[in-house]
Amino acid sequence: MHRLTTPISDEEIRGLRVGDTVYLNGLIMTGRDAAHKFMIEHFIKGTPSEEELPLYNELKKLLDGGVIYHCGPVVKKHEDGTWSFVAAGPTTSIREEVYQADVIRHFNLKGVIGKGGMGPRTLQACREQPAVYFHAIGGAASLIAQAVKEVVTVYKMEFGVPEAMWVIRVEDFPVVVTMDSHGNSIHQQVEEASRARLEALLEAD
Amino acid sequence: MDRWRTLDLTEEFVELVRRAATVLPADMRTAIAEAKGQEEPGSAAEGALETILLNVKMAEEHSTPICQDTGTPIFEIKYPYGVSTKALSEQIRKAVAIATQRAYLRPNAVDSVTGQNSGDNTGEDFPTLHFQEWDQDHLHVDLILKGGGCENVSTQYKLPDAKLGAGRDLEGVRRVVLDAVFQAQGKGCAPGVLGVAIGGDRGASYIKAKQQLLRPLDDTNPDPQLAALEQRILEEGNQLGIGPMGFGGKTTLLGVKIGALHRLPASYFVSVAYMCWANRRASMDVTLRDDNVEVNYA
């Protein structure tokens, strides 16, 4: 069992192996389809406009050694204008496969949290950077919302609540490393092993 | 009979939705707890099931959704003679809108043409309502909240299937259902429950498959052949080693329920409705006794 706090160092990442349980602490940011598309088009392939420069600088600070969470939360707005997370489980990560490797490299991201795993481009970026893929427990929305202690700020609210970039402070957010920085992917291993077992079961009748 | 016509059950339907979204049925909880005991101590699989059980407890205590994807609400309604299905439909639609306001449901109804979210879980054929008149004198309502992740891995086969060596018999059914479990890997939020239907046309087959998900995990199929097949697929599905969340492990399936429909001579469909571990179902019975309305939830 590992307990890590953002920003995370390269040494800490290299020390993680697939199957490890990790409790994450510190500031992380949610980002899913719209956020990834925006970061690629405006900051990575494009150059930030004068208007977008402050946000770019904030993200560079936040994501250096940081973690992005694939999540579209259910949120509650309080009378004093602050927010809290009500339900916040992971969403399917593979939709970000086209963007993720470039986002990891550009911002020196150390981890991505989601569910279902990601593909070879992300695995390659994890090996080089280094970074890891953290698998949250699909459906554990109430529990994960309890691990979100504070909603610090929100960027790009015009994307809508699920797609906005929520900066949150988490305490002991439970995840499992399913893709590590040594080229291992549980998703690949389990699929290959289960394919062999399926073939054996279909041999018999 | 007039009493049924003037009855307003909107608040009772809201409570039914709240229970379905926030309280996992006892049989599911027991099955997950038993599965946790079978996984290797300290494994990712055991950890996942432990987190799931903790989440279920928290959701019930706080009356918050077990999962943020509260899915498609599917209502199966059995009603006595004299009930107005039109009135009940209106009350149910009103109830899901109220339940959405109270954050028991996430707004999940999206217009497929414009992309607009209706914001209150009502829309064209949303929520799903199935009515059936029956001989009993009380009203019985079952509700399932069917999430999107597991719906995306649900599938339908047309037998024979040469690639899987599946002919038009129960052995063929076994082959394609095991393939469906393999294809789903952990993506349907395993460990899952399978509702399977054999026969029917394509549409009826999917509906029948989902209705199997209403059956308690520990019931026995009245057809001995189907009962044996359910047991075999449950055991063999777990031998695939996919495990909770696809982390690898002993628990891939928590239940397999199979129903059959008559089919055309030309067609042999097998539909697999994959349900995630958050198998959210709740039911409600409404009985009229003189001037009193008795409502029981389960």
Side-chain angles (χ1 to χ4, degrees), chain B residues 210-236:
Chain B
K210 281 192 183 147
Q211 287 168 343
Q212 299 306 305
L213 297 171
L214 290 170
R215 289 169 49 193
L217 288 182
D218 61 356
D219 76 348
T220 305
N221 198 311
D223 181 322
Q225 286 195 82
L226 294 183
L229 187 60
E230 289 175 355
Q231 193 54 38
R232 184 168 177 193
I233 293 175
L234 178 61
E235 285 167 17
E236 293 185 342

Side-chain angles (χ1 to χ4, degrees), chain B residues 42-296:
Chain B
S43 64
E46 186 204 40
L49 295 174
E50 193 177 329
T51 302
I52 285 169
L53 288 167
L54 201 56
N55 177 65
V56 167
K57 194 165 158 267
M58 281 182 169
E60 182 166 359
E61 281 170 11
H62 297 112
S63 204
T64 50
I66 295 166
C67 175
Q68 80 283 349
D69 181 6
T70 54
T72 306
I74 304 171
F75 290 86
E76 298 282 342
I77 303 130
K78 297 195 177 88
Y79 62 96
Y81 179 69
V83 166
S84 160
T85 58
K86 182 167 168 280
L88 278 188
S89 303
E90 283 162 8
Q91 291 164 20
I92 291 172
R93 289 171 70 89
K94 215 162 110 191
V96 297
I98 294 170
T100 311
Q101 259 172 25
R102 295 185 192 166
Y104 303 138
L105 297 179
R106 184 176 74 177
N108 260 359
V110 178
D111 185 306
S112 298
V113 180
T114 66
Q116 278 290 312
N117 191 316
S118 73
D120 67 357
N121 274 304
T122 68
E124 189 64 36
D125 211 8
F126 203 109
T128 303
L129 307 176
H130 295 141
F131 287 98
Q132 190 193 344
E133 187 176 324
W134 68 349
D135 289 333
Q136 304 203 40
D137 58 6
H138 68 284
L139 176 73
H140 179 81
V141 183
D142 285 305
L143 167 62
I144 307 179
L145 300 178
K146 181 75 171 67
C150 60
E151 187 68 4
N152 285 343
V153 299
S154 295
T155 187
Q156 192 171 64
Y157 295 85
K158 174 170 63 88
L159 270 49
D161 184 312
K163 214 172 119 234
L164 293 166
R168 294 181 151 194
D169 51 25
L170 295 185
E171 167 57 15
V173 175
R174 178 185 78 93
R175 288 171 168 262
V176 296
V177 176
L178 285 175
D179 182 65
V181 179
F182 166 74
Q183 298 294 343
Q185 292 289 308
K187 289 176 288 191
C189 282
V193 177
L194 302 184
V196 179
I198 310 170
D201 68 8
R202 287 185 184 271
S205 189
Y206 263 131
I207 290 172
K208 182 78 172 175
K210 281 192 183 147
Q211 287 168 343
Q212 299 306 305
L213 297 171
L214 290 170
R215 289 169 49 193
L217 288 182
D218 61 356
D219 76 348
T220 305
N221 198 311
D223 181 322
Q225 286 195 82
L226 294 183
L229 187 60
E230 289 175 355
Q231 193 54 38
R232 184 168 177 193
I233 293 175
L234 178 61
E235 285 167 17
E236 293 185 342
N238 284 326
Q239 287 169 26
L240 292 176
I242 293 164
M245 292 294 129
F247 291 168
K250 295 181 179 132
T251 323
T252 302
L253 296 177
L254 295 170
V256 178
K257 302 291 167 188
I258 307 176
L261 293 165
H262 281 68
R263 60 178 176 84
L264 292 183
S267 303
Y268 196 116
F269 296 112
V270 179
S271 304
V272 182
Y274 193 110
M275 187 69 193
C276 57
W277 64 259
N279 184 9
R280 287 153 292 174
R281 45 173 152 75
S283 69
M284 172 172 107
D285 285 296
V286 182
T287 311
L288 296 185
R289 288 192 206 289
D290 305 320
D291 281 344
N292 295 323
V293 181
E294 202 180 290
V295 183
N296 289 299

